[in-house]
């Protein structure tokens, strides 16, 4: 099912329907199949199309964390938190704040 969905979404890339939502959907489908690198690439496209798309920032952070890129995930979530605050998207802000806290290095003191 997801492979057919991914093929359908990829077929629309570069066409008149290409945009943040299409790339987010493609990234989400790829991540659900475990292809974090391809998902991250599509989610980066999504935030280029719409830098104020907080859900795309959140999912980009998850994809980067799945690739063990903690710094990249932290950067995505930090940016996503700023975007969510600007938009008044309290739920996304809270979620990304929790994700960010979970990956922050613990104090050695």
């Amino acid at each position: 099912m997801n492979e057919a969905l991914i093929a359908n979404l990829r077929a629309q890339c570069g066409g008149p329907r290409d945009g943040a939502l299409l790339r987010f959907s493609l990234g989400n489908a790829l991540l659900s199949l475990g292809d974090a690198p391809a998902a991250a690439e599509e989610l980066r496209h999504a935030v280029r199309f719409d830098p104020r798309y907080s859900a795309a920032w959140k999912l980009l952070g998850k994809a980067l964390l799945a690739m063990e890129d903690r710094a990249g995930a932290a950067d995505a979530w930090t940016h996503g938190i700023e975007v969510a605050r600007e938009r008044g998207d309290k739920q996304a802000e809270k979620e990304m704040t929790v994700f960010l806290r979970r990956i922050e290095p613990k104090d050695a003191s």
Side-chain angles (χ1 to χ4, degrees), residues 42-93:
E42 295 304 332
L43 293 162
R44 284 187 180 107
H45 281 294
V47 296
R48 278 195 290 272
F49 275 113
D50 183 0
R52 295 177 34 91
Y53 195 173
S54 53
W57 285 109
K58 181 173 74 171
L59 201 58
L60 175 58
K62 286 184 176 186
L64 293 169
L65 187 60
M67 296 166 52
E68 299 185 17
D69 180 359
R70 294 168 69 89
D75 186 56
W77 289 329
T78 298
H79 194 84
I81 290 166
E82 292 172 18
V83 167
R85 280 186 187 135
E86 290 171 7
R87 297 188 62 196
D89 189 351
K90 297 290 184 192
Q91 184 61 35
E93 179 185 348

